[in-house]
Amino acid sequence: MQASRARLFKEYKEVQREKSADPDIQLICDDSNIFKWTALIKGPSETPYEGGVFQLAFAIPEQYPLLPPQVRFLTKIFHPNVHFKTGEICLDILKNAWSPAWTLQSVCRAIIALMAHPEPDSPLNCDSGNLLRSGDIRGYQSMARMYTRLAAMPKKG
Amino acid sequence: MGDSSVAGALVPSVPKPEPAPSGDTSAAAAATTAALAMPEEAGMRAASASPQGPAEEGEGPADRDLLCPICMAVIKDAFLTACGHSFCYMCIVTHLSNKSDCPCCGHYLTKAQLYPNFLLDKVLKKISAQQIAKTASPIDQFRCALQQGNEMGVKELDSLMTLIAEKKRQMEQQESETNMQILLVFLHCLRKQKLEELNEIQTDLQYIKEDISSVERHRAELYRTKERYSMKLRMLLDEPTAQKMWPSPIDKASCRFLPNSRTPLSGSCPGTLQNKKLDLKAQVSHQGFQRRDALTSSDPPNSPIQSGNVIARKRRVQAQFNELQEYYLQRRRTGAQARRQEERDIVAMNREGYHAGLQDFQSVLTTFTRYSRLRVIAELRHGDLFHSANIVSSIEFDRDDELFATAGVSKRIKVFEFSTVVNEPSDVHCPVVEMATRSKLSCLSWNKYSKNIIASSDYEGIVTVWDVQTRQSVMEYEEHEKRAWSVDFSRTDSSMLVSGSDDCKVKVWCTNQEASVINIDMKANICSVKYNPGSSFYVAVGSADHHIHYFDLRNPSSPVHIFGGHKKAVSYVKFLSNNELASASTDSTLRLWDVKDNCPVRTFRGHKNEKNFVGLSVNNEYIACGSETNEVFVYHKAISKPAASHRFVSSDLDDADDDPGSYFISAVCWKSDSPTMLTANSQGTIKVLVLAP
């Protein structure tokens, strides 16, 4: 408990100092609970998620950094490795491949990388995975772009 | 090499502690002592503090290489893994108890493959020390120099300590001077304030001393001219009878009043006794002796009555001492500005050496201590046993105080003969005249010139002028659109009357024409209207907007003045004189106003009035009003607290179903220039009350 709190305080200070260094990621700590964070990440360019802003929720366990944080999408996203309803993310570093050297910032970068390089072989979204596995790249991109426009872009008017 | 370089970096900063503040310098001195006594402890303290420095600063990516990847702090007890990565010992051991890989590269790793890295430990300590030296303040550098046991001669230490002590002394002196300055300012302000209070008290004492001398001289003069005093006393006895000051049909009441009129001169004695604390008993004896001598020739049996009377008056003075004191000092400071003819006549023999303020206070004291209660001399029960609603809204004496009229929700105007009501002992008195009306009545006003003319205002907004002799209505004014609350005949122009209504209008009528002469539109309901007794042009209007609007009817577009101060609707306005206006409000207060100077004079509290019309009546000295506690209250116009009160006792004859606590006084009316008044309550009971000692 004490070690995780101290570690999170250091990460918080790092985030404050590096605000302008990584414009694609914005990490926000809850005012009253240092074990609750949210993040806003930009959809990577040259992907169907480009132009969208996606919100993530972090629930950090007491054993952090020995155990990984639990992360999920709050914004709807059409991605093979993200559960459409719950926002759960299938990413190895958030499970068995976790290492204490990872930070919340680096987790966000890994998620952005996942958006650019989906892995259809372990899908949480079957429709999306099936499109990719059957080679319908255009269909997948079209659906992903539509959902990005619907859920991840600020509405006009 | 490392040690020598550290020593080199610290040596040039030695002179810098010179401008240090005294507080920290003291701490540095203490640290010096501790370091000299226990060098090992000092060294440990420095070591334990240093690792946090670089983490706090964090300059550039190079520093991240010094941080443990797990806890992100400077590595403590550096240990090397088989794959070549470094961690804090505790961090890596904790990690390996969960997993068997390297956090950085994931390579297989066990606790047996961890090795201490002593060189890295030393390097990290040196780097931390350098970081501290680079960013520390001069004070920290000075403290480190002392703790490190730098080579410093005794002379240099003495010189530094002398500088530090001098700096400390200067700062302490500066602070002490500042504190003294603040204290001095406070004391000066306090003295100034107390001197002002002292001057005020001394001035008041001077007034009191002068007045005591005046009264003493007056008493000596009275003692010397006993015979002349007796003659003047006899003259005073004749004076009230001749002037009909106390006209009353009851012979006993008349006999009782006469002794009171003989004692206005002694009214100043209680005040004097209160102002002069010493020799109280001696003065009482002296006064008694003098009085007994004066009265021996006329009526010896009255002596005990007089003595009891004086004692009662003293008790009254004592009960209201604070109020009287406040009023005395107020009059004495400003000086009395107005005196009535009667007062001047009575006080003429005392004018020598008297200040005007003292004369005014004496008259107030005399009047105030004369009465303390209200006595019932007659009771009139309404004969209408079949009417459930018997509230008497208005009760008024006629021009000569021979007849009085009552009106209310019973839809009847009844006129009674006052002498008959007071003298005859019959249980049910018959009215001399009774007139039925179409609607409930709210107010009555007798004509001030024609004896048989009376005006009424009712709940339908109709103002009616009646002829009491023929029992017919002479004129009906129907312009008001809502309930009319108040009507009043002018005293100086008997053909003019004014009315106020819930339709927010004040209308002036003439008995010679049907249409209104003047119409004043206002923004709030009108509760009361009253002509100034000395002019047919000035009218006071009490309104539901909490204000009293004073109009000159020659320019009715805007009031001459608006009196504000009441917190609720103004239910009544009455004139004590041409310049004195009294008002009642449902904020449970009465207020007295000066309509010549347009300023408030006094506020009276003691009765309870929050929603009903409880009645208001004034004479020269007293203000009477009803209360929602079923009591009548009487105030002296110069004293804010009630002088007397009387409670109506609810009878259970026909009111078994009603709540006794819900009754209230609904109307009051003084008999002109007399201590007698009429009162009525919401049960319809009418009583004749008289002020009594």
Side-chain angles (χ1 to χ4, degrees), chain A residues 7 14 18 66 98-100, chain B residues 64 70 72 94-95 99 103:
Chain A
R7 157 76 183 243
E14 185 82 12
E18 300 283 336
L66 300 181
W98 169 258
S99 159
Chain B
R64 297 200 183 178
I70 297 176
M72 297 177 76
T94 306
H95 170 72
K99 302 171 82 174

Side-chain angles (χ1 to χ4, degrees), chain B residues 195-419:
Chain B
L195 279 176
E196 288 173 0
E197 291 182 10
L198 181 63
N199 288 336
E200 191 174 311
I201 290 172
Q202 284 176 340
T203 306
D204 290 342
L205 282 174
Q206 186 65 28
Y207 293 145
I208 295 170
K209 190 184 296 183
E210 289 172 4
D211 292 346
I212 289 173
S213 300
S214 302
V215 175
E216 285 287 345
R217 284 202 304 272
H218 175 242
R219 292 180 70 246
E221 183 183 346
L222 284 182
Y223 186 74
R224 285 197 303 268
T225 59
K226 196 182 300 181
E227 287 302 319
R228 196 195 303 175
Y229 176 76
S230 299
M231 282 203 303
K232 289 182 179 176
L233 190 64
R234 194 170 304 110
M235 288 175 62
L236 284 176
L237 280 172
D238 293 336
E239 191 173 12
T241 306
Q243 296 185 359
K244 294 183 179 178
M245 288 178 64
W246 314 115
S248 172
I250 303 179
D251 292 335
K252 288 186 177 180
S254 180
C255 292
R256 187 178 295 269
F257 291 146
L258 286 176
N260 294 325
S261 64
R262 278 186 281 168
T263 55
L265 295 178
S266 65
S268 63
C269 292
T272 305
L273 293 173
Q274 292 301 327
N275 290 326
K276 193 175 180 183
K277 303 291 184 179
L278 300 177
D279 298 333
L280 190 64
K281 294 184 177 179
Q283 290 182 1
V284 170
S285 302
H286 187 63
Q287 183 65 35
F289 176 78
Q290 179 178 336
R291 185 183 303 275
R292 195 169 299 109
D293 284 351
L295 297 175
T296 301
S297 59
S298 59
D299 196 352
N302 285 341
S303 297
I305 298 175
Q306 295 293 328
S307 179
N309 199 21
V310 170
I311 293 173
R313 300 179 83 146
K314 287 179 195 172
R315 195 178 303 117
R316 256 166 259 155
V317 169
Q318 199 64 42
Q320 298 282 359
F321 186 78
N322 286 337
E323 298 279 331
L324 289 167
Q325 174 184 254
E326 185 177 334
Y327 184 74
Y328 167 77
L329 291 176
Q330 176 194 335
R331 304 306 295 171
R332 202 62 179 79
R333 288 169 186 160
T334 60
Q337 296 174 353
R339 283 176 292 154
R340 289 195 308 271
Q341 190 65 33
E342 278 181 324
E343 283 182 334
R344 187 175 297 116
D345 288 344
I346 293 172
V347 184
M349 65 180 67
N350 304 331
R351 183 168 298 148
E352 179 182 339
Y354 265 38
H355 186 274
L358 180 61
Q359 297 183 47
D360 187 67
F361 176 74
Q362 177 178 326
S363 72
V364 166
L365 188 67
T366 301
T367 319
F368 180 76
T369 55
R370 182 180 297 164
Y371 304 115
S372 68
R373 64 187 182 92
L374 288 159
R375 187 167 58 87
V376 181
I377 60 175
E379 183 165 343
L380 171 60
R381 188 166 303 278
H382 253 72
D384 297 343
L385 300 177
F386 309 107
H387 284 95
S388 59
N390 284 321
I391 297 177
V392 176
S393 304
S394 184
I395 186 164
E396 295 286 329
F397 274 106
D398 73 341
R399 183 192 66 191
D400 301 323
D401 294 327
E402 294 172 2
L403 304 171
F404 66 89
T406 67
V409 300
S410 62
K411 302 185 185 179
R412 274 175 162 71
I413 300 177
K414 300 182 177 183
V415 180
F416 298 87
E417 194 167 26
F418 181 71
S419 58

Side-chain angles (χ1 to χ4, degrees), chain B residues 17-30:
Chain B
E18 191 165 344
S22 67
D24 289 340
T25 309
S26 300

Side-chain angles (χ1 to χ4, degrees), chain A residues 6-7 10-11 13-14 17-18 65-67 95-103, chain B residues 52 55-58 64 69-73 91 94-95 98-99 101-104:
Chain A
R7 157 76 183 243
K10 290 193 181 299
E11 290 205 37
K13 279 195 258 186
E14 185 82 12
R17 186 167 64 243
E18 300 283 336
L66 300 181
L67 294 180
K95 307 215 183 299
N96 54 299
W98 169 258
S99 159
W102 290 94
T103 64
Chain B
Q52 300 299 324
E56 297 290 333
E57 302 304 328
R64 297 200 183 178
I70 297 176
C71 67
M72 297 177 76
C91 293
T94 306
H95 170 72
N98 282 11
K99 302 171 82 174
D101 62 354
C102 174
C104 288

